[in-house]
Amino acid sequence: MSDHADLVDRIHTVAPRLTGALREVADTVLADPAGAARMSAAALAARAGVSQASVTRFAQSIGLASHAALRLALAEQVGRSTARGFPTDVGLQIGLDDDVRHVVTVVANADIRAITQTVNQLDPTALDRSSQSIAAARRVDIYGIGSSASVAQELETRLFRIGVHVRAWTEVHDALTSAALLTADDVAIAISHSGATSEVVEPFRLAGDRGARTVGITGDPRSAVAAASREVLTTAALETSYRNGSLAARHSQLMVADCLYIRVGQLTPDRAAHSMTLTEHISPSHAVTARRGRGR
């Protein structure tokens, strides 16, 4: 991890997919990051009720080499968070008695931090290779189910607007049928926060078996989607009250989708400009003039 400024956010993102002793360490660190920064490996292990080896494995699970690196990164973040002018962390919880202003602040703060974390961890080389493949593809399939379906459809709308032959598939039988017809001239994109949704993984793997270049947009770089991807684009999500990871991931996924769309437009300027010129009149031609309501 090259930048430790968002380490606590990274732990928040990773924690839901950790189990057993590693989850205990994560919860202990999140409960008191400043305290964890002062603890030895033995003390942190005792506080979490796990072995010292589990503390080391936890550090490695978030991209750090050792417990010593974890302490240093936590200390750096605690120092920044207490510095003058640093944004206050309002937390991720929303209580029943919290007013609407607090709701807005928590949700916006979580999404801004998740997008920032996504930018920090995103592999620009993988993003560029993915864009080049999409730009040159005969066909592009996008697979997304549940909360990821809306992101798949948004990416379809963007790419279609600039002349890409693209289709978002949000039903598994249709997705499998399309995947079976792909070739090495095509691209398949899977969108799944967990990277484990079978209705996304199955057609995605089939597309890869057919020779299509596979691009995974997922929150878990060790997931089934990532394993089936030629290019992996990882996203972050900070869960809040009433929003689990898959719901909280939408803004980060859309940011990556927009980056792909804009980069493909850059790579195919003539096609993109021609397509947009042919369609730019459609929205204005369907605009409706506002009318004053009765009684005003």
Side-chain angles (χ1 to χ4, degrees), residues 38-149:
R38 296 189 296 268
M39 292 182 189
S40 66
L44 181 56
R47 175 73 64 86
V50 302
S51 67
Q52 285 187 232
S54 295
V55 171
T56 300
R57 289 200 303 273
F58 167 74
Q60 293 169 343
S61 74
I62 58 172
L64 300 173
S66 64
H67 169 258
L70 173 65
R71 286 187 67 184
L72 177 61
L74 285 171
E76 288 177 353
Q77 179 157 349
V78 170
R80 289 189 182 95
S81 67
T82 56
R84 181 177 298 180
F86 192 88
T88 301
D89 182 356
V90 296
L92 299 172
Q93 301 305 310
I94 300 170
L96 294 176
D97 296 327
D98 288 332
D99 62 23
V100 69
R101 183 177 294 277
H102 181 76
V103 172
V104 172
T105 301
V106 169
V107 171
N109 183 266
D111 288 341
I112 290 168
R113 286 158 55 189
I115 290 173
T116 300
Q117 185 181 331
T118 298
V119 172
N120 289 339
Q121 71 190 33
L122 193 62
D123 182 350
T125 302
L127 179 70
D128 196 38
R129 286 195 299 255
S130 301
S131 302
Q132 291 177 26
S133 297
I134 294 168
R138 179 183 67 100
R139 278 179 50 194
V140 176
D141 269 10
I142 308 172
Y143 310 127
I145 300 293
S147 57
S148 295

Side-chain angles (χ1 to χ4, degrees), residues 141-241:
D141 269 10
I142 308 172
Y143 310 127
I145 300 293
S147 57
S148 295
S150 61
V151 181
Q153 290 166 333
E154 288 281 356
L155 181 53
E156 176 196 55
T157 299
R158 286 158 168 72
L159 293 176
F160 187 67
R161 179 76 189 278
I162 57 174
V164 177
H165 293 167
V166 58
R167 178 73 181 269
W169 302 100
T170 59
E171 194 279 327
V172 66
H173 293 161
D174 291 340
L176 285 166
T177 301
S178 183
L181 299 175
L182 296 183
T183 71
D185 295 326
D186 305 318
V187 170
I189 302 171
I191 303 176
S192 172
H193 175 64
S194 70
T197 306
S198 61
E199 292 88 348
V200 173
V201 174
E202 289 176 17
F204 193 53
R205 284 175 172 168
L206 179 57
D209 291 342
R210 292 290 300 152
R213 182 175 289 273
T214 50
V215 177
I217 302 175
T218 179
D220 188 350
R222 299 170 298 177
S223 65
V225 162
S229 300
R230 193 174 303 185
E231 307 293 349
V232 181
L233 307 175
T234 56
T235 56
L238 293 180
E239 297 184 353
T240 68
S241 301

